[in-house]
Every structure is written in C-alpha cells, then in structure tokens.
Amino acid sequence: MRAHTEYLWFNTRARRELVNITEQIAEIVAATKVAEGFCLVSAMHITAGIWVNDEESGLKQDLVEWLDELAPPGDYRHHQTGEDNADAHLKRTLIHHQVILPVTRGKLDLGPWEQVFYAEFDGRRKKRVVVKVIGE
C-alpha cells in the first residue's frame, strides 16, 4: 500500500469562484505511480468545497444561483461574531468539503464529462486543498 499527500494553494480573485483543478489532480495521481486506489480531494477551509460536475459555464452559473437561493447573502447569527460569511459556510455544507475519486490503471478514473472543481465561497485570501492518493 502506498500513500502520497500534496497540497494545492489558492488565492482567488473573487469572493466566490469555481476553479477547475482536474488537470492538477490528474498530474498528482500520475506522479504517485499508484495503479489501483483512491484519491481524496478535500478543501481545508470551512467556506470552500469540492464539486464534481461538467465544465459548462451555464451549469456553473446555475449552481451559484441555486446556492444563493438556498443560502443567500444576508444577516445571520454567525455575523454577531464579527464575520460576514455565514452564507459561505452554508454553501460549503451544501456542496460538501471533499470527494473520493477512483484511480484505475494509474489514472484518475472520471466519467466522460466529470471535472473536479475547487468551490470558493469566501475568497480573496490564501487557502488550500489536500490531495491524498492511496493504493497499490
């Protein structure tokens, strides 16, 4: 059994941003020489998540609008702490913070349209994602 850990760092330009990280994840997987196993991708911040879906601008805009309907910017009890990002915490809960991706024959094994995104909901500061590849 082999295990490998790497970190991806982000400093997004916008407060909310979807960053396609599929190629970076695929390169990490290939470099590990793991033939069969799993790749965990986890946002290490409580206002960011990992989303697997199609790289299509309309779908990404639909996601952001849907999340704004479910967790709109506004006044939340969390803001009594001096923060203004409660909606980002809730959006992260809806998207989830991590995914486990299959590794088959040494490659990331995604469906034909699947892409991996870092979903930032409270950006413009340095954040990271852990990528952990485990297998043989």
Side-chain angles (χ1 to χ4, degrees), residues 22 25-26 52 100-102 107-116:
T22 310
I25 302 300
V52 177
I100 297 175
L101 306 168
K107 295 183 180 180
L108 195 57
D109 198 357
L110 297 175
W113 302 107
E114 288 184 320
Q115 299 287 299
V116 183

Side-chain angles (χ1 to χ4, degrees), residues 4 17 66 68 78 97 119 122:
H4 177 83
E17 200 168 319
W66 176 71
D68 273 343
H78 176 61
H97 70 286
D122 187 31

Side-chain angles (χ1 to χ4, degrees), residues 14-38:
R15 185 165 188 165
R16 295 185 307 181
E17 200 168 319
L18 294 171
V19 181
N20 190 325
I21 59 173
T22 310
E23 288 302 315
Q24 292 167 284
I25 302 300
E27 289 171 6
I28 291 169
V29 167
T32 67
K33 306 294 186 208
V34 168
E36 299 293 326
F38 297 98

Side-chain angles (χ1 to χ4, degrees), residues 10-123:
F10 299 93
N11 195 353
T12 59
R13 294 178 304 274
R15 185 165 188 165
R16 295 185 307 181
E17 200 168 319
L18 294 171
V19 181
N20 190 325
I21 59 173
T22 310
E23 288 302 315
Q24 292 167 284
I25 302 300
E27 289 171 6
I28 291 169
V29 167
T32 67
K33 306 294 186 208
V34 168
E36 299 293 326
F38 297 98
C39 176
L40 170 76
V41 182
S42 183
M44 300 180 73
H45 296 272
I46 56 177
T47 56
I50 303 297
W51 184 56
V52 177
N53 218 305
D54 192 1
E55 173 62 82
E56 195 276 311
S57 61
L59 179 61
K60 293 190 308 188
Q61 186 174 348
D62 288 341
L63 172 73
V64 171
E65 291 173 6
W66 176 71
L67 290 171
D68 273 343
E69 286 178 26
L70 295 173
D75 191 25
Y76 292 89
R77 283 183 283 281
H78 176 61
H79 296 168
Q80 295 170 5
T81 66
E83 297 284 343
D84 68 349
N85 61 358
D87 67 300
H89 290 273
L90 298 173
K91 288 173 172 78
R92 186 267 181 115
T93 300
L94 293 166
I95 290 297
H96 204 55
H97 70 286
Q98 64 188 16
V99 296
I100 297 175
L101 306 168
V103 174
T104 305
R105 291 188 291 278
K107 295 183 180 180
L108 195 57
D109 198 357
L110 297 175
W113 302 107
E114 288 184 320
Q115 299 287 299
V116 183
F117 295 90
Y118 170 70
E120 176 60 70
F121 303 114
D122 187 31

